[in-house]
């Protein structure tokens, strides 16, 4: 059979199959949305709700708007070019893809250290297991998934189950905590306080770094790309963003209800677990165990998503990696994350907040590269006329994230005392 010549890093679209297309879109949608509401976001939400109260709702809504613009652009660009992000960046600005790959892989490694710590905190809350042991178990489960013969199917099923568990438990916590919904809604649009470091950190924890590309790269690996799939891809992206938006706001309301009731949540202690304290205050010992389940489900999906997506950026250096090689590289990535977690002395909760901020600093770099490709490289777009309104929104969002990153560098690194 004759093969068509491909640009390096470009993947041909698979033959159309409605069933496989739906499966691919669901896989990408849930991977992106669960990565965006991982243990980092849960910990950040608890920290910032304690500090800002109902005014934190403004940061939530800003993160959702930025999420929409970023994901709508990234999914579309990857779908049309049929190339991974570093390959697009290299084609548009020679050498830039390597820089992006290094930044995303480093950010993903730090994030995965925090994710493994999140698994440890989850096991500790559920069954009083030592966090180091719990983190190791979570990492080993993820390693087992990528060593299985049907790694992709196993990964997708774990993400699906975890998504429904997380939604049900967070909704329960929000109901029992009795949040001041009217005040939260008011502060969503007219906040008393606007904190750029907080917004940058929460944006980084929900759409920055590897999370920006998780769903789009999953679509690419599934072969659901090409101009003919734009409509379906766009609907999946919007659905994924809707899921993350609902989860974020419900989680915020759950913790706000506790804070508004006057319960004091400790943020200063070395072993402080602010989200766990909030769930405990809302529903007692059962609530704390439920928090453990939420955190564990979030951690497992985020370990999988961070490792999978970070390793997909290794193709910048070795474009022809086989699926088996990527799975083995993913296992190695998780192993490095686990060893780092065991050796590191930074508390998991502090690490989870910091890496969100770090990914928020990486976000405008990658977004700038991909938007440049969409704007100035029509050859990469295969003749597709990219919507100007989406490019303009992307450019405005890019400028905003650059400004927020500039304003937030100092406060973000101060989170670790650097």
């Amino acid at each position: 059979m004759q093969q068509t010549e491909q640009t390096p890093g470009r993947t041909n679209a698979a033959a159309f199959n409605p069933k496989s297309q739906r499966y691919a879109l669901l896989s990408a949608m849930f991977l992106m949305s669960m990565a965006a509401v991982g243990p980092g976001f849960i910990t950040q939400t608890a920290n910032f709700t304690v500090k800002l109260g109902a005014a934190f709702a403004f940061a939530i809504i800003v993160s959702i708007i930025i999420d929409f613009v970023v994901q709508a652009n990234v999914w579309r660009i990857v779908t049309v070019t049929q190339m991974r992000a570093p390959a697009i960046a290299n084609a548009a600005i020679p050498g830039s893809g390597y820089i992006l790959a290094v930044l995303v892989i480093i950010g993903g490694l730090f994030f995965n250290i925090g994710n493994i710590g999140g698994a440890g905190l989850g096991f500790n809350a559920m069954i009083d297991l030592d966090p180091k042991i719990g983190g190791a178990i979570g990492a080993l489960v993820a390693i087992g998934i990528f060593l299985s013969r049907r790694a992709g199917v196993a990964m997708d099923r774990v993400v699906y189950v975890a998504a429904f568990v997380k939604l049900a438990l967070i909704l329960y916590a929000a109901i029992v905590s009795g949040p001041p919904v009217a005040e939260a809604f008011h502060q969503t649009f007219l906040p008393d306080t606007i904190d750029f470091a907080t917004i940058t950190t929460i944006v980084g924890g929900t759409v920055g770094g590897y999370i920006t590309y998780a769903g789009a790269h999953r679509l690419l690996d599934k072969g659901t790309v090409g101009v003919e799939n734009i409509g379906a891809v766009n609907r999946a992206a919007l659905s994924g963003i809707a899921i993350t938006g609902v989860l974020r706001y419900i989680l915020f309301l759950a913790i706000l209800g506790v804070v508004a009731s006057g319960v004091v949540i400790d943020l200063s202690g070395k072993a402080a677990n602010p989200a766990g304290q909030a769930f405990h205050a809302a529903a007692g010992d059962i609530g704390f165990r439920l928090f453990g389940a939420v955190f564990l489900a979030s951690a497992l999906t985020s370990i999988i998503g961070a490792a999978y997506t970070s390793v997909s950026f290794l193709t910048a250096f070795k474009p022809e990696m086989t699926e088996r090689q990527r799975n083995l590289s993913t296992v190695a990535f998780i192993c490095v994350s686990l060893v780092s977690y065991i050796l590191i002395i930074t508390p998991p909760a502090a690490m989870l907040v910091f890496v969100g901020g770090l990914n928020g600093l990486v976000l405008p770099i990658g977004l700038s590269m991909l938007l440049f490709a969409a704007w100035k490289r029509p050859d990469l777009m295969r003749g597709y006329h990219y919507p100007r309104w989406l490019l303009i929104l992307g450019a405005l969002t890019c400028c905003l994230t650059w400004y927020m990153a500039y304003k937030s560098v100092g406060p973000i690194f101060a989170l670790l005392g650097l």
Side-chain angles (χ1 to χ4, degrees), residues 339-361:
V339 172
S340 301
Y341 165 67
I342 292 172
L343 296 178
I344 206 163
I345 59 173
T346 303
M351 176 64 77
L352 286 166
V353 175
F354 166 73
V355 292
L358 181 65
N359 275 353
L361 302 180

Side-chain angles (χ1 to χ4, degrees), residues 172-259:
Y172 169 78
I175 292 171
V176 299
S177 73
V181 177
E183 175 65 12
F185 184 77
H186 172 76
Q187 295 274 357
T188 298
F189 303 101
L190 296 171
D192 292 337
T193 305
I194 298 176
D195 187 316
F196 281 109
T198 295
I199 296 173
T200 303
T201 299
I202 209 70
V203 166
T206 57
V207 71
Y210 80 91
I211 300 171
T212 307
Y213 313 99
H217 281 195
R218 188 64 179 148
L219 277 179
L220 195 63
D221 286 342
K222 290 286 188 181
T224 306
V225 287
V227 175
E228 66 276 13
N229 286 311
I230 282 289
V233 166
N234 195 49
R235 287 191 295 273
L238 292 176
S239 298
I241 294 164
I243 291 171
T244 60
V246 170
L247 275 171
R248 291 176 203 174
Y249 209 84
I250 293 175
L251 176 65
F252 157 69
L253 289 175
I255 297 173
L256 179 64
V258 173
V259 172

Side-chain angles (χ1 to χ4, degrees), residues 73-74 76-78 80-81 88-89 92 367-381 384-388 390-391:
N73 274 289
V74 170
R76 188 177 294 253
I77 293 169
V78 169
V80 173
T81 62
I88 298 170
L367 184 58
S368 298
M369 294 174 183
L370 265 64
L371 287 175
F372 178 81
W375 204 304
K376 293 296 185 180
R377 290 295 303 273
D379 55 315
L380 296 178
M381 297 291 110
Y384 174 70
H385 296 290
Y386 204 92
R388 287 291 168 182
L390 192 55
L391 272 178

Side-chain angles (χ1 to χ4, degrees), residues 285-329:
D285 290 338
I286 293 177
F288 190 63
R289 304 300 181 192
L290 291 178
F291 156 77
V294 169
F295 223 61
L296 180 58
S298 299
L300 282 176
T301 54
S302 293
I303 291 170
I304 291 168
Y308 167 82
T309 310
S310 298
V311 167
S312 74
F313 276 76
L314 286 177
T315 56
F317 307 100
K318 188 178 179 182
E320 303 307 321
M321 287 181 75
T322 66
E323 184 178 359
R324 180 64 176 166
Q325 288 172 331
R326 288 203 305 270
N327 286 341
L328 291 176
S329 298

Side-chain angles (χ1 to χ4, degrees), residues 16-65:
F16 180 76
N17 181 317
K19 185 176 180 180
S20 63
Q21 185 196 63
R22 283 194 298 271
Y23 176 70
L25 293 171
L26 282 172
S27 176
M29 184 178 75
F30 276 99
L31 184 65
M32 179 268 283
S33 58
M34 290 304 100
V37 192
F41 177 79
I42 295 172
T43 303
Q44 293 158 15
T45 298
N47 274 272
F48 296 135
T49 303
V50 171
K51 292 178 180 178
L52 300 177
F56 181 58
F58 178 74
I60 297 283
I61 199 67
V62 169
S63 77
I64 293 171
I65 294 170

